[in-house]
Amino acid sequence: MDKALIRQRFAKAAGSYDRQAGMQRHVARHMAGAIKNHIPDSNGWNVLEIGCGTGLFTREYLRDARPGSLLLNDICPEVEPYLSGLPDTPRFQFRACDAESLPFPKGQDLIVSCSAIQWFEHPERFLCQCKDLLKTEGYLAFSTFGPQNVREVASLTSEALPYRSLEELRRMLSGVYQIVYSREELLHRTFSSPLDVLKHLQATGVTGIRNRKWTKGQLEDFCRRYHRQYAAPDGTVSLTYHPIYMICKKQEQ
């Protein structure tokens, strides 16, 4: 992963992210609801959020939760101004850093991450090492994306993140945690044209893992092939999202 490129793209998209991230908002609401339904009352807990971005999930979570402390993290320091005015929250801290180095205090009751760890170099190692930051019987809750995510774009560009399947994540985490909840979805969003798909991805910072500039001819070829393979009878085109949700509990040693 080119972390500098990832940071640059998400920093550039910070101002447009909340307007364009309808699917990410759905994922954030689902994740917050799963936490509410599958984790005991977390009022007063120490909570660490990894990859908070502009606070899309944070605001959903705080609709029902009242943590005692809240530490927010993101690789982009540029998102901090967007975190002002969080509802009914304690005084929170923000730490801009690469979360894979795990520079966070121990004693967390809940570590949560929404739509972030697919950008990590070693997500499995990170998720397992989170156990060392959790209190006994603390919780790790996260959403990520599976192999079918933005499959239309991946099929035409041969560029895709190394997404893990739900089965792979369950197999890897079951030896470290008790899996409390797991689910996956296949969701589809419709756009007027392939170019609108690319504009949407750019506005949410999700524009691939390589710093590649397309020529006019390459862009036209991409749009033509996308429309030929994925257009509906009315001329619109779709984009697939494949969110995965998991809640895990640390076991007594």
Side-chain angles (χ1 to χ4, degrees):
M1 292 294 177
D2 185 341
K3 296 293 183 73
L5 179 62
I6 292 169
R7 173 184 165 181
Q8 178 188 41
R9 286 178 169 170
F10 278 104
K12 186 176 181 180
S16 58
Y17 187 87
D18 285 3
R19 295 193 304 273
Q20 291 290 331
M23 199 63 70
Q24 287 84 349
R25 183 172 287 104
H26 166 88
V27 172
R29 289 173 178 167
H30 186 113
M31 190 75 248
I35 290 172
K36 179 181 178 181
N37 292 332
H38 294 278
I39 295 180
D41 182 5
S42 60
N43 288 341
W45 278 15
N46 297 327
V47 177
L48 165 63
E49 182 183 351
I50 302 296
C52 65
T54 57
L56 199 65
F57 166 80
T58 318
R59 289 178 171 82
E60 294 295 334
Y61 171 69
L62 292 174
R63 291 180 187 273
D64 297 296
R66 299 294 179 269
S69 68
L70 180 60
L71 176 56
L72 303 177
N73 153 264
D74 200 87
I75 198 171
C76 298
E78 294 85 353
V79 304
E80 186 173 10
Y82 296 91
L83 301 173
S84 61
L86 292 176
D88 298 322
T89 182
R91 184 177 180 181
F92 69 87
Q93 292 182 306
F94 174 76
R95 185 174 297 181
C97 64
D98 180 355
E100 287 196 83
S101 62
L102 290 172
F104 306 112
K106 295 185 177 182
Q108 304 296 329
D109 295 289
L110 170 65
I111 299 175
V112 63
S113 180
C114 190
S115 303
I117 65 166
Q118 67 272 8
W119 297 102
F120 285 16
E121 189 75 35
H122 303 288
E124 295 93 345
R125 184 171 68 189
F126 171 81
L127 292 169
C128 290
Q129 289 179 341
C130 280
K131 181 183 70 171
D132 297 332
L133 302 179
L134 289 168
K135 293 180 180 179
T136 300
E137 298 194 349
Y139 288 85
L140 168 67
F142 68 93
S143 70
T144 184
F145 291 96
Q148 297 301 311
N149 202 54
V150 295
R151 62 189 180 193
E152 298 86 352
V153 175
S155 71
L156 298 174
T157 63
S158 300
E159 289 187 14
L161 294 172
Y163 297 112
R164 277 66 172 177
S165 69
L166 177 60
E167 292 73 21
E168 289 173 319
L169 290 168
R170 285 182 59 89
R171 185 166 57 248
M172 179 266 297
L173 292 174
S174 61
V176 182
Y177 302 94
Q178 174 192 349
I179 297 177
V180 176
Y181 174 79
S182 64
R183 185 183 173 186
E184 62 183 338
E185 297 178 297
L186 278 180
L187 307 171
H188 305 279
R189 180 168 176 180
T190 301
F191 295 87
S192 297
S193 69
L195 186 60
D196 286 335
V197 172
L198 293 179
K199 290 179 179 178
H200 161 73
L201 294 175
Q202 184 178 40
T204 54
V206 185
T207 50
I209 55 178
R210 295 179 181 86
N211 193 9
R212 184 183 73 168
K213 293 185 177 181
W214 290 10
T215 65
K216 181 181 179 180
Q218 288 172 331
L219 180 59
E220 291 175 347
D221 179 64
F222 170 85
C223 291
R224 183 169 53 252
R225 289 187 294 135
Y226 199 118
H227 192 273
R228 184 173 63 244
Q229 292 184 222
Y230 300 111
D234 63 359
T236 60
V237 295
S238 65
L239 181 67
T240 301
Y241 281 92
H242 183 189
I244 291 174
Y245 312 89
M246 295 193 74
I247 297 177
C248 307
K249 185 178 182 181
K250 179 178 177 178
Q251 299 300 291
E252 292 187 26
Q253 300 298 318

